[in-house]
Amino acid sequence: MKQEFTDYNGKCLRNDLTLGAITAMSILPFALAFGALAGLGMPAGIIAAIAAGLLAVLVPGRVLFFAGPTCIIFLVFSACAGRYGMPVALTASLFAGVLVFIALLCRVDRLLQYIPAPVAGGFTIGVALVMTILQTNNYFGINAVGVSAVDMLLSYRSFGFHANWRTVLYGTIVLVLMITYPRKFKKLHKIVPAQFVSLVIALGLHLCLVPSAADSPILEAGPFAHTLSGSGGLLFGGFAVTPVGGLILSSIAIALSILVCSGMSQQEQERQTGKALLLGAGNIVLPLFGGMPVGAVQETDEKGTRVAPLFSSALMLIAISLLGSVFERIPLSVLAVILIVTMWEKLDFKALKMVFGSKKPAQILLFFLCVAATVFIELPYIMLLLGVVTACAALRARLQKKKA
């Protein structure tokens, strides 16, 4: 760490400030969306994003990490919370942090390379469909409820499909901006991300059309406060260990979702230790204060130091301190569309190309079976199945290698 700051000067400080500001603008919309739409409240996502930045400062080695919640973790965590309750989901997140820490130190995440292409492609398409089905409710302003995609589809049938035109307007604006902005303004997108631009424009329009929250005809993000029994998390609200089966299932499912999102390990032990510390320790600490699990580890090659994530966390903290009352007015359709578009942009096109390029009926059939299973089976169980499939594929590859 001393070597990192040996030649630290004004130019390095400017680089750190710039990188920190760009990262804050990139992460903030997702943090707000994950917290608000998961049912914990926006602070849950913000706490996770800020804490991840602070933990990145402590990671050893000259490696720059940024982390935060992801769409897959959000869906798995929300499914566990909806089925077993928020206290159980937070307790499971803590245990998941322990599992992730051990798994990463043991290099278990290297097994991800053995996931068959039809399974990987079918899983990502299925998760994108699940996100779309669940968040269509917020896009159209329908008061439907459901834990899984099937529950939500049945709920749509019961409630009917009576859309709120203003909600659809805001969501459509964000949809168009999220798709066109990165393509039309590639250089600007790298500095001011599309999700931040979309959020600012849609929120600004909403505030102009409806200045008072009391007169708002649409669903908004709501009070900028925790909703877990009025507390700030497990440290103040207490742990929940029943049902035991639900807690075990949730812990394993959340841990697997974190490992999937963290990506395969790097060759350097220093980087792997840093990733283990960031994801393991982070997910152990965050539930204590009501934060969501984090899983996306982004290693950047930009010219910056460990001060950059510190600036990023500080800027987000300043933003919510000064603009918390403004963030409360964000239409839920805006946050929903940001997550939907992001999920579809993260599709594993390489796996899809391998599946359909091979023109093998068995692989194509397996792909569609994985898509259907991901949509119609609850995600915690899907994560368990994915873990089993990965372990079996890795064992098979090892046995074939020994025979060769």
Side-chain angles (χ1 to χ4, degrees):
M1 189 179 293
K2 290 182 179 180
Q3 293 180 352
E4 188 174 354
F5 295 99
T6 301
D7 299 322
Y8 198 82
N9 51 34
K11 183 179 180 181
C12 296
L13 179 61
R14 287 192 297 272
N15 289 334
D16 284 336
L17 280 170
T18 302
L19 185 56
I22 293 172
T23 304
M25 287 188 289
S26 177
I27 294 177
L28 184 61
F30 295 121
L32 295 172
F34 291 135
L37 299 177
L40 267 174
M42 287 187 290
I46 293 294
I47 289 172
I50 292 176
L54 296 177
L55 286 168
V57 178
L58 303 177
V59 171
R62 196 180 178 86
V63 182
L64 195 61
F65 287 98
F66 291 108
T70 67
C71 291
I72 294 177
I73 296 174
F74 160 76
L75 289 172
V76 173
F77 178 84
S78 299
C80 295
R83 189 62 65 193
Y84 304 110
M86 195 62 73
V88 172
L90 286 173
T91 305
S93 298
L94 185 148
F95 289 130
V98 177
L99 294 175
V100 168
F101 183 76
I102 296 172
L104 288 176
L105 285 182
C106 295
R107 315 300 292 267
V108 173
D109 57 333
R110 297 168 76 175
L111 299 179
L112 294 174
Q113 62 183 306
Y114 297 108
I115 298 178
V119 175
F123 174 72
T124 54
I125 288 284
V127 170
L129 288 171
V130 170
M131 177 70 82
T132 304
I133 292 170
L134 293 176
Q135 296 308 322
T136 295
N137 175 48
N138 291 315
Y139 176 72
F140 286 102
I142 307 168
N143 295 321
V145 291
V147 175
S148 66
V150 174
D151 291 340
M152 190 62 76
L153 288 173
L154 294 175
S155 184
Y156 290 151
R157 182 179 178 182
S158 302
F159 280 87
F161 224 79
H162 307 290
N164 183 312
W165 71 267
R166 200 187 296 268
T167 298
V168 175
L169 172 64
Y170 297 143
T172 303
I173 290 173
V174 173
L175 179 64
V176 173
L177 287 173
M178 287 285 291
I179 294 174
T180 60
Y181 177 82
R183 293 163 177 78
K184 295 291 184 181
F185 306 97
K186 293 182 180 180
K187 291 183 178 180
L188 186 59
H189 171 63
K190 293 180 180 180
I191 302 174
V192 186
Q195 60 269 24
F196 183 79
V197 173
S198 303
L199 177 64
V200 170
I201 291 176
L203 177 57
L205 177 61
H206 178 54
L207 293 176
C208 291
L209 295 177
V210 189
S212 174
D215 300 327
S216 179
I218 66 171
L219 293 173
E220 297 178 346
F224 204 80
H226 280 289
T227 57
L228 181 60
S229 303
S231 74
L234 297 177
L235 193 63
F236 305 101
F239 293 78
V241 294
T242 55
V244 176
L247 178 63
I248 295 174
L249 171 64
S250 300
S251 299
I252 297 174
I254 293 173
L256 288 171
S257 66
I258 293 170
L259 289 172
V260 168
C261 294
S262 70
M264 287 187 292
S265 63
Q266 301 292 327
Q267 295 297 321
E268 298 87 344
Q269 182 63 39
E270 183 181 66
R271 288 173 177 256
Q272 188 66 12
T273 303
K275 182 187 289 187
L277 285 172
L278 181 58
L279 292 182
N283 285 298
I284 292 171
V285 173
L286 285 172
L288 298 175
F289 301 95
M292 289 187 65
V294 295
V297 171
Q298 175 187 353
E299 301 174 32
T300 177
D301 294 326
E302 297 289 340
K303 293 182 179 180
T305 68
R306 64 186 65 250
V307 176
L310 186 62
F311 279 139
S312 175
S313 296
L315 289 172
M316 285 189 283
L317 182 60
I318 293 171
I320 62 172
S321 299
L322 298 178
L323 302 172
S325 59
V326 177
F327 291 153
E328 293 177 357
R329 301 292 316 282
I330 299 174
L332 287 184
S333 62
V334 171
L335 301 177
V337 172
I338 288 175
L339 294 189
I340 291 172
V341 175
T342 301
M343 193 68 251
W344 283 101
E345 288 179 342
K346 297 295 183 180
L347 291 182
D348 192 348
F349 290 104
K350 184 178 179 180
L352 294 177
K353 186 176 180 180
M354 289 177 63
V355 171
F356 291 97
S358 66
K359 297 181 180 180
K360 295 180 179 179
Q363 288 200 5
I364 295 174
L365 177 61
L366 179 58
F367 166 81
F368 284 110
L369 285 175
C370 289
V371 173
T374 305
V375 172
F376 292 105
I377 301 176
E378 291 189 25
L379 281 176
Y381 295 101
I382 288 297
M383 295 310 303
L384 287 182
L385 288 174
L386 184 63
V388 171
V389 169
T390 303
C392 292
L395 179 61
R396 180 186 176 188
R398 186 170 183 179
L399 292 174
Q400 289 178 344
K401 187 177 181 180
K402 283 186 175 180
K403 288 180 180 181

